[in-house]
Amino acid sequence: MFYADDIDGKKVFKSDLLSDVEHFFTTREICLFSKDKDMSANRKLVEDYLGEQMATNQPVHGVDIAKVEDGKYFYTSTDGMLIEKGAAFMNFGDCTPLVFSFGKGAMIAHAGWRGTAQGMAKVAVKRICDEYGIKPQDIKVAIGPAICLDCYEVGQEVYDALSVTVKEKRLGFVQKNGKYFVGLKEINKNQLIECGVTQIDVCPYCTACGEKLFYSYRYEHTGYRHSAVVKV
């Protein structure tokens, strides 16, 4: 279950499923990246809290995964960060954050509709299992805040591209009044289940509606982002 915590009085969210690894999802109260404003003070606040300098990435909406190396803090053209030791953060507008914990390390993955259509969740599970000899059922995954099914209208082409990635289509897909809607959190959960992952926690919050705890690129056209943070 997801629950609220704070860093220096600023709200973040964590999953009790991932109690074995330091992690959190930031809110509007503690933005780590913006195209419109320098957020280095907030990053320093988080790094002081973690006791580590954080690595980060430049996403390209693909499925490439980089392993975080000691002393290297920026990774270009990657949408997954595999961490054996150290700290990292990844930024999101409405896309789906996936945080994996598997005993020997952790991973953050970025799954927008393009990454989800390419099976980022499945690619991440295979990488972890192949590299560390771990079974899917021993992997824990927290699916962070992302745009919900009701808010995410897409074209038929996107709808069709996502629908072929899962066998189970009862959740995450809706057609109504000639319009198409998808739920990336539900689709990613189904992808995980279909490749053998059983321990999954899904954040109930939408980035576009409800309490407006997070930034929404689609609805606000903002340069501000919320982030997923992990320390191993």
Side-chain angles (χ1 to χ4, degrees), residues 19-216:
S19 58
D20 56 336
V21 63
E22 179 67 71
H23 75 286
F24 52 87
F25 300 88
T26 67
T27 66
R28 288 175 180 264
E29 296 182 16
I30 185 167
C31 176
L32 302 184
F33 174 81
S34 171
K35 293 182 178 180
D36 305 323
K37 187 177 179 181
D38 180 11
M39 291 295 167
S40 56
N42 281 347
R43 290 194 295 274
K44 184 179 186 305
L45 179 68
V46 168
E47 289 177 337
D48 288 346
Y49 170 82
L50 296 173
E52 294 266 3
Q53 183 175 347
M54 297 183 293
T56 192
N57 70 311
Q58 178 189 41
V60 290
H61 298 277
V63 293
D64 286 341
I65 297 168
K67 182 181 286 188
V68 174
E69 305 170 18
D70 187 33
K72 182 177 179 181
Y73 297 103
F74 187 70
Y75 296 80
T76 59
S77 304
T78 183
D79 285 84
M81 300 180 74
L82 178 60
I83 310 140
E84 292 180 348
K85 181 174 174 51
F89 74 101
M90 192 174 287
N91 305 307
F92 301 85
D94 291 297
C95 297
T96 312
L98 305 174
V99 176
F100 300 76
S101 174
F102 49 92
K104 297 180 180 181
M107 183 190 294
I108 311 173
H110 174 277
W113 79 259
R114 290 179 179 84
T116 302
Q118 295 172 72
M120 170 54 93
K122 295 180 179 181
V123 171
V125 170
K126 186 177 188 305
R127 172 73 178 269
I128 292 167
C129 292
D130 288 351
E131 189 152 339
Y132 298 98
I134 291 171
K135 296 178 180 179
Q137 56 265 38
D138 294 326
I139 300 172
K140 301 174 183 178
V141 186
I143 299 177
I147 193 167
C148 74
L149 175 65
D150 291 337
C151 290
Y152 197 21
E153 181 182 350
V154 298
Q156 183 178 354
E157 183 178 346
V158 172
Y159 186 94
D160 291 344
L162 290 166
S163 68
V164 298
T165 68
V166 290
K167 298 173 185 175
E168 175 55 73
K169 298 178 178 61
R170 287 180 303 156
L171 301 176
F173 300 93
V174 169
Q175 296 182 42
K176 56 185 178 182
N177 301 322
K179 297 180 179 180
Y180 298 85
F181 297 83
V182 294
L184 294 182
K185 288 186 287 187
E186 294 89 346
I187 296 169
N188 277 281
K189 180 180 179 180
N190 284 340
Q191 288 186 6
L192 290 165
I193 290 170
E194 289 178 11
C195 62
V197 178
T198 57
Q199 301 182 79
I200 306 168
D201 190 12
V202 182
C203 179
Y205 294 111
C206 171
T207 51
C209 67
E211 297 183 50
K212 298 292 185 183
L213 293 164
F214 308 95
Y215 297 106
S216 172

Side-chain angles (χ1 to χ4, degrees), residues 34-36 215-225:
S34 171
K35 293 182 178 180
D36 305 323
Y215 297 106
S216 172
Y217 175 76
R218 168 170 277 225
Y219 281 83
E220 300 175 80
H221 303 290
T222 178
Y224 290 82
R225 302 288 184 265

